[in-house]
Amino acid sequence: MKRRNLDSDFCDRLEDFHRQSCVHLPLQPASGCSTGAGSLFSLVPQKISLMQQHFTGRADANFTSSIKRPTMSAITLDIANKEISCVDIKPLTALISIGCDLKKTIMVRNMASACSKNILDPVTLQNNYSYVIERDAYDPNFRGQKATKDRVVNYEYRKLGCPYLVYYNIPWKPVVELWRGGRFQEVIQTEYVLLEVNGLFTYTYSLTARTARCRAQPQNWTTIMENTGVRGPLAWNRENYMSCRDTDNHAPLRWPGVPYQILGGPTANKVLFDERNGIYILHLSVVDPYYSYCRLETTFSVYVYGALPPSIIPMELSIALLTTTILLCTWLAYIMPILMHAEQGLQFRRFWINLWRRCRNFWARLRGRR
């Protein structure tokens, strides 16, 4: 490394380059530049930070192969308007890794739990607790079809803790937090999706494709699993997500009444649970490709309460009995006044009066013997 004298014009151009570059490159000369005879060893970067300009319109469209995937970029730094001079400083080339910050994690904000409200016992949950999912409430293939038999699920308390408490009749949306290195950063407002990991389908969403103001047909778990061939919560992620409001999404809006299954973002979409009490183990994944290069995912559990217990009598039989009772009462209200004024009605009335008198006399004699 050779020490060379520099004039003030060269130093000014060097400082100009440092101020105007999109890449922040603190330079570290040996003695610094001065208006007099200064000295400089070479371009020595202390820290380089690269600003992603993929969607600002200022960068080349091929700056990165895909905004959805981590990649490598090469960058070369040189002095702007460098003229022929005895000062020979070679351009500095570096590889920049654009990818996930592994210190980032997400979690669902702590809410009231079923244990704090004495609905579930934490000691019981830790002691190999299991529960049953009815065959009419889940599909092991995640297609919304009823299963052929009930399913027993072992609850992983060490991983999930005590379930959060959610009332079934109130629209609900989790509050998702971003953490980095054990420190809270912000509440995530961007798009994310949920899926019950055991195949429960006894919930829906408050918005449809129409009310979410989609321009194109929105994605859902069924179409994602069919296209990727993957079953389960890992099928939908930031690499295959496409917003229904994206101008590059040309899928025609054929079914505007289908549930809109994306939470967060520009909509106020929420989850609506069916009238069923029980534990739901939910997998949450952030799918907005512009939010982070990381696959930000978490799994948590909720306990839905407040629903009436299921009736032993089938719904169809209950409706039939209720309809029959109403019709019978209506007929009796119509026919009884008519019968009371007819001869048969008078005989019917005398029969019940005599029966009442006999019963009363029998009861009086029985009490007299005692």
Side-chain angles (χ1 to χ4, degrees):
M1 192 175 297
K2 298 179 179 180
R3 188 184 298 250
R4 300 190 177 172
N5 294 332
L6 302 176
D7 57 19
S8 60
D9 183 54
F10 175 80
C11 290
D12 290 343
R13 290 203 306 272
L14 186 61
E15 292 174 0
D16 247 10
F17 165 76
H18 179 222
R19 285 195 302 267
Q20 296 175 9
S21 175
C22 287
V23 178
H24 304 292
L25 179 65
L27 302 179
Q28 188 180 19
S31 303
C33 289
S34 62
T35 54
S39 60
L40 182 72
F41 291 117
S42 62
L43 293 176
V44 181
Q46 291 177 301
K47 182 180 180 182
I48 297 178
S49 58
L50 183 64
M51 183 172 62
Q52 173 68 284
Q53 295 182 355
H54 180 84
F55 50 87
T56 62
R58 297 174 56 188
D60 189 336
N62 297 321
F63 174 70
T64 176
S65 59
S66 172
I67 192 68
K68 296 186 178 183
R69 296 183 179 180
T71 186
M72 296 284 291
S73 292
I75 186 167
T76 301
L77 305 179
D78 202 356
I79 305 300
N81 302 320
K82 184 170 65 174
E83 301 173 355
I84 298 176
S85 172
C86 61
V87 178
D88 182 19
I89 299 181
K90 294 181 179 180
L92 179 65
T93 302
L95 289 176
I96 307 297
S97 175
I98 304 174
C100 171
D101 183 353
L102 299 179
K103 295 181 180 180
K104 288 184 178 180
T105 58
I106 61 171
M107 63 179 63
V108 175
R109 176 172 291 178
N110 189 19
M111 304 177 291
S113 69
C115 298
S116 64
K117 299 296 182 180
N118 297 322
I119 296 177
L120 295 177
D121 182 13
V123 177
T124 303
L125 292 176
Q126 296 177 62
N127 190 22
N128 297 325
Y129 179 77
S130 63
Y131 59 96
V132 178
I133 301 179
E134 309 83 11
R135 61 183 178 181
D136 295 340
Y138 84 101
D139 178 10
N141 297 317
F142 300 95
R143 295 179 178 176
Q145 305 295 326
K146 296 180 180 180
T148 56
K149 60 180 181 180
D150 295 345
R151 179 173 184 174
V152 179
V153 178
N154 294 319
Y155 188 77
E156 300 181 25
Y157 183 84
R158 289 186 178 181
K159 177 181 178 182
L160 301 171
C162 194
Y164 300 129
L165 200 58
V166 177
Y167 187 67
Y168 89 97
N169 202 27
I170 298 179
W172 169 80
K173 183 177 76 170
V175 179
V176 188
E177 298 177 343
L178 176 67
W179 289 69
R180 184 178 184 276
R183 293 185 178 182
F184 170 77
Q185 301 297 310
E186 63 180 2
V187 173
I188 294 179
Q189 304 293 343
T190 191
E191 292 95 338
Y192 58 90
V193 293
L194 288 175
L195 184 68
E196 210 287 327
V197 300
N198 296 303
L200 273 168
F201 52 78
T202 52
Y203 62 94
T204 186
Y205 298 86
S206 60
L207 296 184
T208 62
R210 180 188 295 108
T211 55
R213 298 183 179 180
C214 288
R215 298 178 180 177
Q217 192 67 39
Q219 295 172 311
N220 57 53
W221 283 103
T222 302
T223 58
I224 286 292
M225 291 182 188
E226 289 178 354
N227 294 336
T228 61
V230 179
R231 298 290 172 190
L234 300 180
W236 204 349
N237 54 60
R238 63 183 298 277
E239 294 186 13
N240 56 24
Y241 170 70
M242 179 170 286
S243 173
C244 66
R245 287 170 290 275
D246 194 338
T247 55
D248 294 331
N249 190 347
H250 304 295
L253 185 58
R254 296 178 179 175
W255 300 283
V258 298
Y260 181 68
Q261 297 184 355
I262 297 97
L263 300 172
T267 70
N269 197 20
K270 293 185 178 182
V271 178
L272 303 175
F273 290 99
D274 292 353
E275 194 172 352
R276 175 189 177 275
N277 298 327
I279 295 175
Y280 291 72
I281 301 176
L282 301 170
H283 181 86
L284 186 151
S285 177
V286 176
V287 293
D288 182 6
Y290 297 104
Y291 186 72
S292 173
Y293 281 103
C294 302
R295 295 188 64 167
L296 299 174
E297 301 170 333
T298 187
T299 303
F300 63 101
S301 63
V302 299
Y303 183 83
V304 178
Y305 75 104
L308 295 175
S311 176
I312 301 177
I313 303 175
M315 181 65 68
E316 295 79 5
L317 181 59
S318 300
I319 294 175
L321 292 175
L322 181 61
T323 304
T324 303
T325 303
I326 292 174
L327 292 176
L328 180 61
C329 292
T330 304
W331 179 79
L332 289 175
Y334 169 77
I335 201 66
M336 288 302 293
I338 298 176
L339 291 177
M340 288 302 173
H341 295 287
E343 182 63 27
Q344 293 179 349
L346 294 175
Q347 294 178 0
F348 181 76
R349 184 178 180 182
R350 284 195 294 269
F351 168 77
W352 285 105
I353 292 174
N354 292 332
L355 181 62
W356 164 249
R357 288 175 179 174
R358 291 178 182 178
C359 291
R360 187 178 61 182
N361 294 335
F362 174 78
W363 180 253
R365 289 195 300 269
L366 184 63
R367 292 182 64 183
R369 291 179 180 177
R370 290 181 181 178

